[in-house]
Amino acid sequence: MTVPQVFQQLGANNANAGGGFYSQGGQFYYIRGLGLVRNLKDIGNIVLATHNGIPTYVHDLAKVESGTPHALGSLAS
């Protein structure tokens, strides 16, 4: 699995899905799918690929943790 493929799967699994309306007894309900990641465990449980019916999760390939972002560029006075 390539890094771009991992990024694509992470993005695909962290998106809101459009929905539609459901009508019952004169009431209309709006249905939509919320796929937003809420915590680190959610990220680890994203399926990246399936081979022979066996899923490969993020946590199978990487250590999922929170940290500070690396600085990019430089600051000069």
Side-chain angles (χ1 to χ4, degrees), residues 10 37 39-46 57-67:
L10 289 172
V37 171
N39 54 48
L40 295 176
K41 186 175 180 180
D42 288 347
I43 295 170
N45 288 329
I46 290 175
Y57 298 93
V58 170
H59 64 74
D60 293 330
L61 301 179
K63 181 178 179 182
V64 181
E65 59 185 15
S66 179

Side-chain angles (χ1 to χ4, degrees):
M1 172 153 274
T2 66
V3 173
Q5 289 172 322
V6 171
F7 278 116
Q8 190 276 329
Q9 286 300 102
L10 289 172
N13 283 279
N14 192 33
N16 288 327
F21 291 96
Y22 169 71
S23 173
Q24 181 179 8
Q27 295 286 326
F28 285 92
Y29 300 94
Y30 180 66
I31 309 296
R32 66 182 179 143
L34 297 176
L36 298 177
V37 171
R38 292 178 190 84
N39 54 48
L40 295 176
K41 186 175 180 180
D42 288 347
I43 295 170
N45 288 329
I46 290 175
V47 175
L48 297 175
T50 303
H51 300 285
N52 297 322
I54 300 169
T56 300
Y57 298 93
V58 170
H59 64 74
D60 293 330
L61 301 179
K63 181 178 179 182
V64 181
E65 59 185 15
S66 179
T68 57
H70 296 285
L72 300 175
S74 65
L75 178 64
S77 56

